[in-house]
Amino acid sequence: LPELIEAYQSTTAGKGGKTKAATLAMLKSRLGKVKLSSLSAIVLRDFIDSRVKDGAGGVTIAADLSFLGAILKWGRHARHLDLPADLPAQARASLKHRGLNTRSQEREREPTDDELNRLYAHWASRPRQRIDMPTLCRVALATGMRLGEICGLRVEDVDLVKKTALIRDRKDPRNKVGNNQTVPLLPAAVDILKPVIADRGTGSVFGVQADSVSAAFTRACQLLDPPIIDLHFHDLRHRATAQFFRMGLDIPRVALLTGHKTWTMLRRYTSIKPEDVH
């Protein structure tokens, strides 16, 4: 099995992020002595037992099994090996009978106006703040982009005349690398980006790393008195997406802005209240 995993990795080099790499390394470690001919439901039962003992939850274990399933399907169809490719799916189905919840809890947290104003006031009181956090937050609220997408924006990818931006390698459950997408920029986003870009023709729009921005956001929430509890930069995307619907945009147009492929994926970012309809 470890040899199959390594062969699979060699064909998908550069695809997937840290989570995928870490999961594949874990699978090689945990199932390192399993021969392909010996792979069975009992082997996966013991694997699940060991992951539960580690403290892993149902969502994590289900993801582990999904990765394993992808590897076995690749081996069966791309390498024509006689493999039990359906075993991981059957093992996933058994998780609910163990009392494990395989559905992640959908997060509905949005920053309130008061929380945003407190954060802006905090950063305004710190003139030596190296990262322009207020501008980054306003871009997130005006575009619905992920933090990594905002920090990855390049001047040459922003067309202020057509009011569009090219997002490179946009997150996609099937294929992130090469998934470039041109998205519209609403008037508020154009107004924010114009002075930032000024007369530059190339280079990074903001010149900051996503990790640094995320850390600065969390730190600001903690330093406030009283602190803002359980708020992350990504929650700005929730608010932006819900706001697009409140503005009256329909599902296809909001999906074009946010990059979601289906209504199911988009719905978890949408917190429309009854009063919003009126």
Side-chain angles (χ1 to χ4, degrees):
L1 184 57
E3 292 173 4
L4 180 68
I5 294 174
E6 289 174 4
Y8 170 80
Q9 284 180 295
S10 69
T11 66
T12 59
K15 296 181 180 179
K18 296 178 181 178
T19 300
K20 180 178 181 179
T23 302
L24 295 184
M26 181 274 297
L27 289 172
K28 282 196 290 185
S29 172
R30 291 301 180 89
L31 302 173
K33 296 182 179 180
V34 176
K35 294 181 178 180
L36 293 175
S37 59
S38 302
L39 195 58
S40 66
I42 301 301
V43 171
L44 295 190
R45 179 203 65 188
D46 294 342
F47 169 75
I48 294 171
D49 287 344
S50 69
R51 294 294 282 140
V52 170
K53 190 175 181 180
D54 291 340
V59 175
T60 300
I61 299 173
D64 296 342
L65 294 169
S66 292
F67 279 117
L68 181 59
I71 294 164
L72 295 179
K73 287 178 182 177
W74 174 84
R76 186 178 184 86
H77 299 294
R79 307 306 301 164
H80 306 293
L81 300 172
D82 185 14
L83 297 173
D86 294 333
L87 268 183
Q90 295 167 6
R92 280 191 62 173
S94 75
L95 296 179
K96 64 180 180 181
H97 298 291
R98 289 167 166 257
L100 294 171
N101 181 16
T102 58
R103 295 179 66 90
S104 59
Q105 187 173 0
E106 295 185 358
R107 185 174 173 84
E108 297 182 352
R109 181 76 158 92
E110 284 186 36
T112 65
D113 289 339
D114 178 65
E115 288 172 336
L116 289 171
N117 289 333
R118 291 177 64 206
L119 285 169
Y120 293 150
H122 168 78
W123 288 316
S125 69
R126 293 173 171 255
R128 297 180 65 181
Q129 170 81 29
R130 186 178 61 83
I131 302 175
D132 187 355
M133 291 298 297
T135 297
L136 290 165
C137 289
R138 290 185 173 106
V139 169
L141 292 168
T143 64
M145 291 183 189
R146 301 174 180 86
L147 176 54
E149 295 167 352
I150 296 172
C151 295
L153 275 180
R154 298 191 61 79
V155 173
E156 53 267 39
D157 293 337
V158 179
D159 190 328
L160 294 175
V161 177
K162 293 182 178 180
K163 299 179 181 178
T164 61
L166 176 66
I167 300 177
R168 299 182 182 274
D169 297 334
R170 193 161 211 188
K171 184 177 179 181
D172 184 278
R174 296 188 179 275
N175 184 27
K176 175 182 176 181
V177 178
N179 182 39
N180 300 335
Q181 184 181 13
T182 299
V183 299
L185 293 173
L186 298 183
V190 173
D191 291 341
I192 297 168
L193 290 171
K194 268 185 180 179
V196 175
I197 292 175
D199 57 354
R200 289 186 293 155
T202 60
S204 170
V205 173
F206 295 104
V208 292
Q209 297 295 318
D211 289 346
S212 300
V213 177
S214 178
F217 188 90
T218 301
R219 185 165 56 249
C221 290
Q222 294 170 344
L223 289 174
L224 290 173
D225 185 19
I228 296 176
I229 305 300
D230 189 35
L231 185 66
H232 310 296
F233 191 95
H234 193 72
D235 295 328
L236 301 179
R237 177 168 161 85
H238 282 254
R239 173 166 170 141
T241 305
Q243 190 61 30
F244 294 150
F245 282 108
R246 293 175 187 133
M247 291 165 59
L249 296 179
D250 57 16
I251 292 172
R253 289 176 172 81
V254 175
L256 180 60
L257 283 160
T258 62
H260 291 102
K261 301 296 184 186
T262 67
W263 167 237
T264 302
M265 296 166 62
L266 180 58
R267 183 173 53 195
R268 66 177 300 183
Y269 282 89
T270 309
S271 302
I272 298 297
K273 301 177 178 64
E275 56 267 29
D276 294 328
V277 175
H278 302 297

